[in-house]
Amino acid sequence: MGKIKNFFKKAFSDMKESTKAQHEVDKANFKAAKTEAKATWEEAKMSPSERQVLMQKEREAQIAAANERTAVANERIDFVKSVKNK
């Protein structure tokens, strides 16, 4: 009887910990969604000239990210080529 009791005790304890962890994830996701909605609202209130500045910064960030990905891919290619030539 003790094994069954311990099994259920551990199972319920695991479920409790899992529920707590999921609650933390849910809180973080809710906070992120709320903040994103506020950012969208603030962007909607921007003037056209302010919006152009924002869009340009976003494009620059996307270009920088793409350039970084290209550099990493080139390093991978160079590494593979150096391994093949040995």
Side-chain angles (χ1 to χ4, degrees):
M1 184 72 171
K3 286 184 179 182
I4 293 173
K5 183 178 179 180
N6 286 337
F7 171 79
F8 281 108
K9 189 174 184 178
K10 183 175 179 345
F12 282 111
S13 175
D14 290 347
M15 285 190 301
K16 182 179 178 181
E17 290 302 315
S18 179
T19 300
K20 283 182 183 179
Q22 186 60 48
H23 180 67
E24 291 301 316
V25 170
D26 292 343
K27 281 185 359 183
N29 283 330
F30 179 75
K31 183 178 179 181
K34 185 177 172 182
T35 305
E36 289 169 345
K38 182 175 181 175
T40 300
W41 173 250
E42 293 298 326
E43 289 171 352
K45 296 188 303 183
M46 293 173 75
S47 70
S49 62
E50 291 171 330
R51 184 160 300 148
Q52 283 180 339
V53 171
L54 176 67
M55 296 299 287
Q56 183 59 37
K57 286 186 180 195
E58 288 176 359
R59 285 190 293 267
E60 290 170 0
Q62 289 173 350
I63 290 169
N67 289 339
E68 178 65 26
R69 289 176 34 221
T70 300
V72 169
N74 283 330
E75 289 175 9
R76 291 172 49 205
I77 291 167
D78 293 343
F79 175 76
V80 170
K81 285 181 179 179
S82 71
V83 170
K84 283 184 176 181
N85 292 333
K86 286 186 178 181

